[in-house]
């Protein structure tokens, strides 16, 4: 790839990551191209579909999150690793609408991307949950769908008013509600 093409690709990825995080997946490709200072054709040459553009951005972040889940489990133990990851995901979701849209399945085939374990955020989180349940720290009847619903509620609250006190309160409510 020529140097100018590499710069354009990097600029498109940077602008798209910022835009999807702030505004979600509904932003049209032509708007990303405009903000990046390139033509729509330039974006299309590198990323034939909006999904392929978002996938390029998302895969790196998903891989980081899976690594972080494993690190937290090893460093914090089962229950604390689970709750630390939950807190991380609340912050991530509040700051990144595109990730939330992807996790919700809006406009992106999250399941197909997550088929590879290095990208399977929900699988890594499920392992944290099951480890905490085996340790007797989290109620046995909670499943990953419950956790995802709790995450959605926390993110919704966080988006209405980014308030560290409210976030801490919501996380405490989740912790107490999931305790065995």
């Amino acid at each position: 790839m020529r140097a100018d093409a590499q710069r354009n690709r990097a600029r498109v990825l940077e602008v798209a990551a910022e835009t999807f995080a702030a505004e979600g997946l509904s932003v049209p490709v032509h708007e990303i191209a405009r903000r990046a200072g390139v033509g729509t054709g330039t974006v299309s040459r590198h990323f034939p579909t909006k999904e392929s553009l978002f996938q390029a951005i998302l895969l790196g972040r998903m891989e980081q999150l899976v690594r972080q889940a494993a690190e937290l489990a090893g460093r914090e133990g089962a229950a604390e690793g689970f709750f630390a990851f939950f807190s991380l995901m609340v912050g991530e979701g509040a700051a990144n609408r595109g990730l939330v849209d992807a996790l919700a399945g809006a406009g992106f085939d999250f399941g197909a991307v997550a088929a590879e374990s290095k990208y399977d955020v929900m699988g890594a989180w499920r392992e944290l949950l099951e480890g905490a349940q085996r340790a007797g720290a989290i109620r046995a009847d909670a499943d990953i769908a419950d956790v995802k619903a709790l995450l959605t509620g926390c993110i919704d609250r966080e988006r209405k008013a980014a308030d560290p006190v409210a976030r801490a309160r919501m996380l405490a409510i989740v912790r107490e509600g999931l305790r065995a």
Side-chain angles (χ1 to χ4, degrees):
M1 202 182 304
R2 294 184 337 242
D4 62 330
Q6 289 175 351
R7 280 191 304 276
N8 286 343
R9 184 180 194 282
R11 178 72 182 138
V12 167
L13 284 170
E14 177 187 346
V15 168
E18 292 168 2
T19 304
F20 288 147
E23 301 174 39
L25 299 180
S26 63
V27 179
V29 171
H30 69 83
E31 178 59 18
I32 291 167
R34 185 190 67 75
R35 292 178 189 183
V38 299
T40 305
T42 298
V43 176
S44 297
R45 273 191 297 283
H46 294 287
F47 308 100
T49 64
K50 183 163 73 168
E51 186 171 282
S52 66
L53 172 59
F54 185 65
Q55 183 172 340
I57 296 163
L58 186 63
L59 289 178
R61 187 63 192 128
M62 289 170 64
E63 191 172 4
Q64 289 173 343
L65 288 169
V66 169
R67 261 194 325 272
Q68 286 176 293
E71 289 168 9
L72 286 168
R75 187 175 66 236
E76 304 290 333
E80 288 310 310
F82 171 83
F83 288 116
F85 193 72
F86 191 97
S87 179
L88 172 75
M89 291 297 288
V90 170
E92 185 79 22
N96 191 335
R97 287 191 58 189
L99 179 63
V100 173
D101 289 352
L103 288 171
F108 186 75
D109 189 357
F110 186 78
V113 172
E116 271 191 74
S117 63
K118 70 180 182 177
Y119 304 125
D120 188 2
V121 175
M122 295 310 291
W125 206 354
R126 184 178 298 107
E127 288 176 24
L128 284 170
L129 172 64
E130 291 169 355
Q133 288 172 321
R134 283 190 300 276
I138 292 182
R139 51 190 300 155
D141 62 343
D143 62 19
I144 199 66
D146 298 331
V147 171
K148 197 172 172 182
L150 290 167
L151 173 68
T152 301
C154 288
I155 290 170
D156 185 52
R157 171 70 174 89
E158 183 83 10
R159 282 199 179 146
K160 288 180 179 161
D163 175 0
V165 174
R167 178 189 282 191
R169 183 176 56 248
M170 291 297 291
L171 292 172
I173 291 167
V174 167
R175 181 181 287 268
E176 288 304 312
L178 288 174
R179 204 177 289 287

